Amino acid sequence: MSYTLSEHESKQVLRSAGIPVPEDALVATADEAVSAAERLGYPVALKLCGRRIAHKTERGLVRLGLGDASALRRAAEELLRARRADEGDAQLLVCRMVAGRRELIAGLVRDPQFGPCVMLGVGGIFAEVVGDVAFAVAPLARSDAADLIGALRYPKLLEAFRGEPAVDRKKLANVLEALGRLGAERPDIRSIDVNPLIVAGDTPVVIDALVELEGDAR
């Protein structure tokens, strides 16, 4: 038996492991969302967040680039009205916006033969087209993380791209090593899905994540 943490809870797990996660705030009302945004700074993203909500984008439960209190309040009220009966505990997640034109995916899976394995791949609009994903057995030494990065079939996406700097491979390796440590040290973690891992400047940053745990959520 297993259960999936909410996006907010999942990001807390990653943040505690030293993985870059933008500051966010979990709130219950539109007024609280506005207060959080004033502290975080506009523009912000807003999401409906709860353990029973996994596919936010498909259901239209994400609002991006909200630039002022009026737009945020309107979006918050819409998302709260969109809650389903079994999602009554869902709240609003206010997130600092992160800009970047390159997306990666990363995560952790448990293979029946090899145990915990770290995954890295190309995300965004290229994901389904190129199918570029690589795996490495956890935990990862620095050389293992470098080899995993090098295993991608389209490494040019990590180089200087359309005026943006090359991805800092040391920072990316740090993320992969941290995922590997979680897999090795937390046997209760069944899987981690980081999608997308946006490249902001030269730094990979977690934008959305889901952590699946063994056990009963109760």
Side-chain angles (χ1 to χ4, degrees), residues 196-213:
L197 184 68
I198 289 283
V199 180
D202 67 354
T203 303
V205 180
V206 174
I207 301 302
D208 198 350
L210 290 176
V211 174
E212 182 186 10
L213 299 182

Side-chain angles (χ1 to χ4, degrees), residues 103-176:
E103 296 185 15
L104 301 171
I105 54 176
L108 180 80
V109 296
R110 291 196 181 273
D111 183 85
Q113 181 177 359
F114 298 106
C117 296
V118 177
M119 179 271 289
L120 175 67
V122 173
I125 61 174
F126 302 107
E128 293 184 8
V129 177
V130 302
D132 192 359
V133 179
F135 294 85
V137 176
L140 276 63
R142 178 49 57 104
S143 59
D144 299 323
D147 288 344
L148 179 56
I149 296 169
L152 293 177
R153 292 184 289 114
Y154 295 88
K156 287 188 177 181
L157 290 174
L158 303 180
E159 298 174 3
F161 181 78
R162 293 187 178 181
E164 296 189 11
V167 178
D168 188 320
R169 295 193 177 215
K170 289 183 179 179
K171 293 178 180 178
L172 180 54
N174 288 341
V175 172
L176 300 176

